[in-house]
Amino acid sequence: MAETIRVLLADDHILVRQGIRQFLEQAPGIEVVAEADNGAAAVRLTETTKPDVAVLDINMPQVTGVEATRRIKQHFPRTRVLILTAYDDDPYIRALLQAGADGYVLKTAKAEALVQAVRDVSRGLTALSPSVATKVVRQVAQGRPSDAAGQVESLTEREVEALRLAARGMTNREIGQELGISHRTVQGHLANVYEKLGVS
């Protein structure tokens, strides 16, 4: 009889975690042993529960999925990391794979695909959503440099928040009101972002 695959779930949305847990535990041979609502807790729980697979979101409080992946792979190499996210942006994909993620699945995937991905990475295989796999192959074929991965990883959580709001078309003053900081602080965050990403 096959051993049970022990899984840790990390996502800052409790309803999402509950749904994922239900999908996984309905599948034979999979047990969710821990849940975390931020990246730092995911790393701590990996140490205490020693899961076979850690299923992580990217955007989480305290420690991002990229950094959590790096820490888990560095300190607990036997734990496989499967990214489960809504984001399929090229820089995120490169950053996570460079950090050591064993799989990258989109939240639009069917429950069966997620279950299979958990089983695959637990066996040492790589699991990628079809659209992600296509992007990875295209990047390799085009020989793109991976500098963007390190650039994304270098952004702080606050810088990512400011950048996300700026991308929605909000002014510095509006971003400051949203984040509870001054517009000058927002300006400083965005200046740091532009410098790190090499854009204007």
Side-chain angles (χ1 to χ4, degrees):
M1 183 176 177
E3 292 186 5
T4 298
I5 301 171
R6 305 173 72 255
V7 175
L8 176 147
L9 292 180
D11 193 297
D12 59 336
H13 297 97
I14 186 169
L15 291 179
V16 173
R17 290 202 314 273
Q18 289 175 343
I20 297 169
R21 181 174 198 137
Q22 183 177 3
F23 288 142
L24 293 180
E25 292 197 326
Q26 286 177 347
I30 297 178
E31 176 188 5
V32 176
V33 297
E35 293 184 29
D37 62 2
N38 64 76
V43 176
R44 289 195 303 270
L45 286 168
T46 299
E47 180 177 14
T48 57
T49 64
K50 297 179 173 55
D52 300 305
V53 179
V55 179
L56 310 179
D57 191 11
I58 293 179
N59 287 316
M60 295 187 289
Q62 297 186 32
V63 172
T64 67
V66 176
E67 181 59 27
T69 297
R70 182 187 295 104
R71 295 182 190 180
I72 289 172
K73 299 304 290 186
Q74 179 180 354
H75 299 290
F76 318 106
R78 291 188 178 183
T79 295
R80 306 289 182 179
V81 175
L82 175 64
I83 300 302
L84 181 62
T85 182
Y87 299 97
D88 65 348
D89 307 272
D90 288 5
Y92 277 129
I93 295 171
R94 288 195 295 269
L96 267 303
L97 295 180
Q98 283 198 336
D102 301 283
Y104 197 112
V105 176
L106 300 179
K107 288 181 177 177
T108 52
K110 293 183 178 180
E112 297 80 8
L114 172 60
V115 169
Q116 189 59 52
V118 168
R119 288 178 173 153
D120 285 346
V121 298
S122 74
R123 293 163 46 210
L125 302 176
T126 299
L128 300 174
S129 283
S131 62
V132 174
T134 299
K135 290 190 176 193
V136 171
V137 170
R138 186 181 302 125
Q139 290 167 15
V140 172
Q142 293 177 351
R144 289 183 183 175
S146 58
D147 293 347
Q151 292 167 344
V152 169
E153 292 175 48
S154 70
L155 299 182
T156 67
E157 181 181 349
R158 184 62 85 178
E159 288 169 352
V160 171
E161 290 174 339
L163 180 59
R164 187 177 296 116
L165 295 176
R168 295 179 187 171
M170 296 174 67
T171 66
N172 288 357
R173 193 171 300 279
E174 290 171 336
I175 294 172
Q177 291 173 348
E178 179 76 16
L179 300 180
I181 56 180
S182 73
H183 71 279
R184 291 189 180 278
T185 300
V186 172
Q187 188 175 8
H189 285 318
L190 292 177
N192 290 338
V193 169
Y194 299 154
E195 182 178 355
K196 290 177 180 179
L197 298 183
V199 299
S200 59

